[in-house]
Amino acid sequence: MVDSPPSRRGSTVSDAHENTLVFNEADTAVFRRRRSSEQRVLPTLRVVAGPDLLRFCSISPGERVVIGRDERDCELPLADPSVSRRHAAVTADDEGRLTLEDLGSTNGTSYRGEQISGPVPLTLGEQIQVGSVTLRIDLLGLDELTHLARVVDRLAQAARDPLTGVLGRRYLDDDLPRQIARFHRAHIPVTAVFLDVDHFKRINDEHGHAVGDEVLRTIARLLVMCVRDSDSVARYGGEEFVLVLPNCDRQGGLRFAERVRNRIAAYDWPAHLGLPDVHVTASLGVAEFCGRPVPEWLGDADAAMYEAKRAGRNAVRPARAG
């Protein structure tokens, strides 16, 4: 079992067996022994916007978490260049009260929209701006923290799309047909959601391919955060993604797709990308598997996605009955 280096605590949460989920240097989840007296629901700092989206660190009473780019000296390391080596710190006293302080950073630390100059008390549910990275402080339980760790694990697995970390085209061509055959034999409903980023060429043309790549990486993370462990997220190609949802019928797929559409449209893209005029939306098509060959089934979802495009984009449409 891999253990994280002693110089870095990583992201932690105690479980029922007195273990702790931690991140090693590759940002994958492993377990370490931890005192049974520690809380199972903890204040947790998590990145909600910026290239470090999905990183998180929980804070126990009496602990101090340093945020910065120094991997060896920070409990919550961030790769964003706007973050100083030791940028800010959050401290929990023995009663669990939280305090935020800036550590003399170059680009400053903001709380509730104002740059701080000295220690300030933190309130759960509030956002913190560290350079151009947005974090949020929430009280999270074991299930939520474990889900976040699993999300990071899934993105780190092999045989993934190299840009986004989700499954690649090989999964759709080779593995998915075998999975669907098993589901069909067991009479398990399966629904596909085909997603295309709206006006993606315009994003590339106006802001450059680096911004376009970051949009795709972020959408992949938002999708993985939305799905269940049994679902699959794959990059079909370009700005297109396919989500495969077992134990989900057409109506369930439509509800899920609407949640995804809202999640992408409501995401704070200007803060993430540092570009005030960027707004990203997606169009989605939904098709339940009805026994047709897998390429035709995905084609039905793709056609429904184009119906959403023709309806004005930023929309969800079901496949036509047929």
Side-chain angles (χ1 to χ4, degrees):
M1 180 162 53
V2 180
D3 201 3
S4 60
S7 60
R8 176 183 171 192
R9 285 204 302 271
S11 300
T12 64
V13 58
S14 53
D15 71 3
H17 302 289
E18 301 179 29
N19 291 323
T20 296
L21 269 175
V22 303
F23 280 134
N24 63 17
E25 291 295 335
D27 284 330
T28 56
V30 295
F31 284 97
R32 174 185 291 171
R33 297 289 294 179
R34 195 167 172 87
R35 299 189 308 273
S36 60
S37 60
E38 290 187 336
Q39 300 179 46
R40 297 181 63 195
V41 179
L42 294 172
T44 302
L45 280 168
R46 57 192 179 98
V47 179
V48 297
D52 293 295
L53 181 67
L54 296 187
R55 292 206 175 202
F56 70 96
C57 185
S58 55
I59 311 168
S60 297
E63 285 191 328
R64 184 171 188 258
V65 169
V66 176
I67 307 163
R69 283 191 295 110
D70 192 329
E71 289 276 344
R72 295 184 175 276
D73 200 30
C74 296
E75 286 72 26
L76 184 55
L78 303 175
D80 192 282
S82 68
V83 177
S84 297
R85 293 182 64 82
R86 285 173 53 87
H87 195 110
V90 175
T91 303
D93 66 16
D94 291 339
E95 302 299 321
R97 291 183 291 264
L98 301 170
T99 301
L100 171 68
E101 59 180 313
D102 184 80
L103 300 180
S105 66
T106 300
N107 294 312
T109 302
S110 298
Y111 177 60
R112 291 180 172 174
E114 296 185 2
Q115 189 160 318
I116 65 172
S117 57
V120 297
L122 283 180
T123 302
L124 292 172
E126 296 286 353
Q127 290 191 346
I128 302 165
Q129 194 76 23
V130 176
S132 63
V133 179
T134 303
L135 301 97
R136 180 182 166 100
I137 183 78
D138 287 301
L139 197 64
L140 299 184
L142 175 64
D143 288 346
E144 294 164 299
L145 290 168
T146 301
H147 176 68
L148 283 176
R150 285 175 178 166
V151 166
V152 175
D153 274 346
R154 292 175 73 177
L155 290 173
Q157 291 174 14
R160 301 274 167 168
D161 173 64
L163 175 65
T164 63
V166 299
L167 292 165
R169 187 63 183 264
R170 190 177 70 182
Y171 161 78
L172 296 172
D173 293 339
D174 299 338
D175 298 337
L176 181 59
R178 291 192 292 269
Q179 290 182 2
I180 295 303
R182 291 196 298 270
F183 291 141
H184 191 53
R185 287 194 299 268
H187 305 288
I188 295 172
V190 188
T191 294
V193 177
F194 207 105
L195 179 150
D196 183 90
V197 182
D198 295 330
H199 298 299
F200 186 71
K201 184 178 184 301
R202 182 186 301 173
I203 294 172
N204 275 334
D205 291 346
E206 294 182 0
H207 303 288
H209 288 276
V211 171
D213 287 350
E214 184 57 32
V215 167
L216 295 178
R217 280 191 291 264
T218 301
I219 284 181
R221 284 160 172 76
L222 293 176
L223 294 177
V224 175
M225 290 175 71
C226 286
V227 300
R228 305 162 298 177
D229 289 345
S230 59
D231 301 332
S232 298
V233 180
R235 186 181 178 197
Y236 187 81
E239 66 273 23
E240 297 175 322
F241 295 83
V242 173
L243 299 96
V244 179
L245 315 176
N247 279 309
C248 181
D249 62 12
R250 177 177 178 272
Q251 287 304 118
L254 288 169
R255 290 191 295 269
F256 170 81
E258 188 62 26
R259 289 197 300 271
V260 168
R261 184 194 66 78
N262 281 321
R263 184 77 175 270
I264 293 171
Y267 185 71
D268 193 351
W269 294 99
H272 182 141
L273 300 171
L275 299 167
D277 58 340
V278 171
H279 182 60
V280 181
T281 62
S283 299
L284 301 93
V286 178
E288 183 177 354
F289 183 74
C290 297
R292 302 176 67 192
V294 167
E296 294 182 18
W297 169 51
L298 296 181
D300 291 342
D302 187 19
M305 179 273 294
Y306 277 102
E307 290 288 340
K309 293 276 189 188
R310 285 189 284 270
R313 296 181 170 83
N314 191 23
V316 174
R317 289 292 183 272
R320 295 181 180 180

Coordinates of all heavy atoms in Angstrom, one line a residue, residues 201-234:
K201 N -15.6 26.2 -31.2 CA -14.6 26.8 -32.2 C -14.4 28.3 -31.9 O -13.3 28.8 -32.0 CB -15.1 26.6 -33.6 CG -14.1 27.1 -34.7 CD -14.7 26.8 -36.1 CE -13.6 27.2 -37.1 NZ -13.3 28.6 -37.1
R202 N -15.5 29.0 -31.5 CA -15.4 30.4 -31.2 C -14.5 30.6 -30.0 O -13.7 31.6 -30.0 CB -16.8 31.0 -31.0 CG -16.8 32.5 -30.7 CD -18.1 33.0 -30.3 NE -19.1 32.7 -31.3 CZ -20.4 32.9 -31.1 NH1 -20.9 33.3 -29.9 NH2 -21.3 32.6 -32.1
I203 N -14.6 29.8 -29.0 CA -13.7 29.9 -27.8 C -12.3 29.7 -28.3 O -11.4 30.5 -27.8 CB -14.1 28.8 -26.8 CG1 -15.5 29.1 -26.3 CG2 -13.1 28.8 -25.7 CD1 -16.1 28.0 -25.3
N204 N -12.0 28.7 -29.1 CA -10.6 28.5 -29.5 C -10.1 29.7 -30.4 O -9.0 30.2 -30.2 CB -10.5 27.2 -30.4 CG -10.3 26.0 -29.5 OD1 -9.8 26.0 -28.4 ND2 -10.7 24.8 -30.1
D205 N -11.0 30.2 -31.3 CA -10.5 31.3 -32.2 C -10.3 32.6 -31.4 O -9.4 33.3 -31.7 CB -11.6 31.5 -33.3 CG -11.7 30.3 -34.3 OD1 -10.7 29.5 -34.3 OD2 -12.7 30.2 -35.0
E206 N -11.2 32.8 -30.4 CA -11.1 34.1 -29.8 C -10.1 34.2 -28.6 O -9.5 35.2 -28.3 CB -12.5 34.6 -29.3 CG -13.5 34.8 -30.4 CD -14.8 35.3 -29.9 OE1 -15.0 35.4 -28.6 OE2 -15.7 35.5 -30.7
H207 N -9.9 33.0 -28.0 CA -9.1 33.0 -26.7 C -7.9 32.0 -26.8 O -7.1 32.0 -25.9 CB -10.0 32.6 -25.6 CG -11.2 33.5 -25.4 ND1 -11.0 34.8 -24.9 CD2 -12.5 33.3 -25.6 CE1 -12.2 35.3 -24.8 NE2 -13.1 34.5 -25.3
G208 N -7.8 31.2 -27.9 CA -6.7 30.4 -28.0 C -7.0 28.9 -27.6 O -7.9 28.7 -26.8
H209 N -6.1 28.0 -28.1 CA -6.4 26.6 -27.8 C -6.1 26.2 -26.4 O -6.6 25.3 -25.8 CB -5.5 25.7 -28.8 CG -6.1 25.8 -30.2 ND1 -7.1 24.9 -30.6 CD2 -5.7 26.5 -31.2 CE1 -7.3 25.2 -31.9 NE2 -6.5 26.1 -32.3
A210 N -5.2 27.0 -25.7 CA -4.9 26.7 -24.3 C -6.2 26.9 -23.4 O -6.5 26.1 -22.5 CB -3.8 27.5 -23.7
V211 N -7.0 27.9 -23.7 CA -8.2 28.2 -23.0 C -9.2 27.1 -23.4 O -9.9 26.6 -22.6 CB -8.8 29.6 -23.4 CG1 -10.2 29.7 -22.8 CG2 -7.9 30.6 -22.8
G212 N -9.3 26.7 -24.7 CA -10.2 25.7 -25.1 C -9.9 24.4 -24.4 O -10.8 23.6 -24.0
D213 N -8.6 24.0 -24.3 CA -8.2 22.8 -23.6 C -8.7 22.8 -22.1 O -9.1 21.8 -21.6 CB -6.7 22.6 -23.7 CG -6.2 22.1 -25.0 OD1 -7.1 21.8 -25.9 OD2 -5.0 22.1 -25.3
E214 N -8.5 24.0 -21.5 CA -8.9 24.1 -20.1 C -10.4 24.0 -19.9 O -10.9 23.4 -19.0 CB -8.4 25.4 -19.5 CG -8.7 25.6 -18.0 CD -8.1 24.5 -17.2 OE1 -7.1 24.0 -17.5 OE2 -8.7 24.2 -16.1
V215 N -11.2 24.5 -20.9 CA -12.6 24.3 -20.9 C -13.0 22.8 -20.9 O -13.8 22.3 -20.2 CB -13.3 25.1 -22.1 CG1 -14.8 24.6 -22.2 CG2 -13.2 26.6 -21.8
L216 N -12.3 22.1 -21.8 CA -12.6 20.6 -21.9 C -12.2 19.9 -20.7 O -13.0 19.0 -20.2 CB -11.9 20.1 -23.1 CG -12.3 20.6 -24.5 CD1 -11.5 19.9 -25.6 CD2 -13.8 20.3 -24.8
R217 N -11.1 20.2 -20.1 CA -10.7 19.6 -18.9 C -11.7 19.8 -17.7 O -12.0 18.9 -17.0 CB -9.3 20.0 -18.4 CG -8.1 19.4 -19.2 CD -6.8 19.6 -18.6 NE -6.4 21.0 -18.7 CZ -5.6 21.5 -19.7 NH1 -5.1 20.6 -20.6 NH2 -5.3 22.7 -19.8
T218 N -12.1 21.1 -17.6 CA -13.0 21.4 -16.6 C -14.4 20.8 -16.8 O -15.0 20.3 -15.8 CB -13.2 23.0 -16.5 OG1 -11.9 23.6 -16.3 CG2 -14.1 23.4 -15.4
I219 N -14.9 20.7 -18.0 CA -16.2 20.1 -18.2 C -16.1 18.6 -17.9 O -17.0 18.0 -17.3 CB -16.6 20.3 -19.7 CG1 -17.2 21.7 -19.9 CG2 -17.7 19.2 -20.1 CD1 -17.6 22.0 -21.2
A220 N -14.9 18.0 -18.2 CA -14.7 16.6 -17.9 C -14.8 16.4 -16.3 O -15.5 15.4 -15.9 CB -13.4 16.1 -18.4
R221 N -14.3 17.3 -15.6 CA -14.3 17.2 -14.1 C -15.7 17.4 -13.6 O -16.2 16.7 -12.7 CB -13.3 18.1 -13.5 CG -11.9 17.7 -13.6 CD -10.9 18.8 -13.4 NE -9.5 18.3 -13.3 CZ -8.8 17.9 -14.3 NH1 -9.3 17.8 -15.5 NH2 -7.6 17.4 -14.1
L222 N -16.4 18.3 -14.2 CA -17.8 18.6 -13.8 C -18.7 17.4 -14.1 O -19.5 17.0 -13.2 CB -18.4 19.8 -14.5 CG -17.7 21.1 -14.2 CD1 -18.3 22.3 -15.0 CD2 -17.9 21.5 -12.7
L223 N -18.4 16.7 -15.2 CA -19.2 15.5 -15.5 C -18.9 14.4 -14.6 O -19.9 13.7 -14.1 CB -18.9 15.1 -17.0 CG -19.3 16.0 -18.1 CD1 -18.9 15.5 -19.5 CD2 -20.8 16.3 -18.1
V224 N -17.7 14.2 -14.3 CA -17.3 13.1 -13.4 C -17.9 13.3 -12.0 O -18.3 12.4 -11.3 CB -15.8 12.9 -13.3 CG1 -15.4 11.8 -12.3 CG2 -15.3 12.4 -14.7
M225 N -18.0 14.6 -11.6 CA -18.5 14.9 -10.3 C -20.0 14.7 -10.2 O -20.6 14.4 -9.2 CB -18.2 16.3 -9.9 CG -16.8 16.6 -9.6 SD -16.4 18.3 -9.3 CE -17.2 18.6 -7.7
C226 N -20.7 14.7 -11.4 CA -22.1 14.6 -11.5 C -22.6 13.1 -11.5 O -23.7 12.8 -11.1 CB -22.7 15.3 -12.7 SG -22.7 17.1 -12.6
V227 N -21.8 12.2 -12.0 CA -22.2 10.8 -12.2 C -22.1 10.0 -11.0 O -21.4 10.3 -10.1 CB -21.5 10.2 -13.4 CG1 -21.7 11.0 -14.7 CG2 -20.0 10.0 -13.1
R228 N -22.7 8.8 -11.0 CA -22.6 7.8 -10.0 C -21.3 6.9 -10.3 O -20.8 7.0 -11.4 CB -23.8 6.9 -9.9 CG -25.1 7.6 -9.8 CD -26.3 6.7 -10.2 NE -26.2 6.3 -11.6 CZ -27.1 5.5 -12.2 NH1 -28.0 5.0 -11.5 NH2 -26.9 5.2 -13.5
D229 N -20.9 6.1 -9.3 CA -19.7 5.3 -9.5 C -20.0 4.3 -10.7 O -19.0 3.9 -11.3 CB -19.4 4.6 -8.3 CG -18.8 5.5 -7.2 OD1 -18.4 6.6 -7.6 OD2 -18.7 5.1 -6.0
S230 N -21.2 3.9 -10.9 CA -21.5 2.9 -11.9 C -21.6 3.5 -13.3 O -21.7 2.7 -14.3 CB -22.9 2.2 -11.6 OG -23.9 3.1 -11.5
D231 N -21.7 4.8 -13.4 CA -21.8 5.5 -14.7 C -20.4 5.6 -15.4 O -19.4 5.5 -14.7 CB -22.4 6.8 -14.6 CG -23.8 6.8 -14.0 OD1 -24.5 5.8 -14.1 OD2 -24.2 7.8 -13.3
S232 N -20.4 5.9 -16.7 CA -19.1 6.1 -17.4 C -19.2 7.4 -18.1 O -20.2 7.8 -18.7 CB -18.9 5.0 -18.4 OG -18.8 3.7 -17.8
V233 N -18.0 8.1 -18.1 CA -17.9 9.4 -18.9 C -16.7 9.2 -19.9 O -15.6 8.8 -19.5 CB -17.5 10.5 -17.9 CG1 -17.4 11.8 -18.7 CG2 -18.6 10.7 -16.9
A234 N -17.0 9.4 -21.1 CA -16.0 9.2 -22.2 C -15.9 10.5 -23.1 O -17.0 11.1 -23.3 CB -16.3 8.0 -23.0

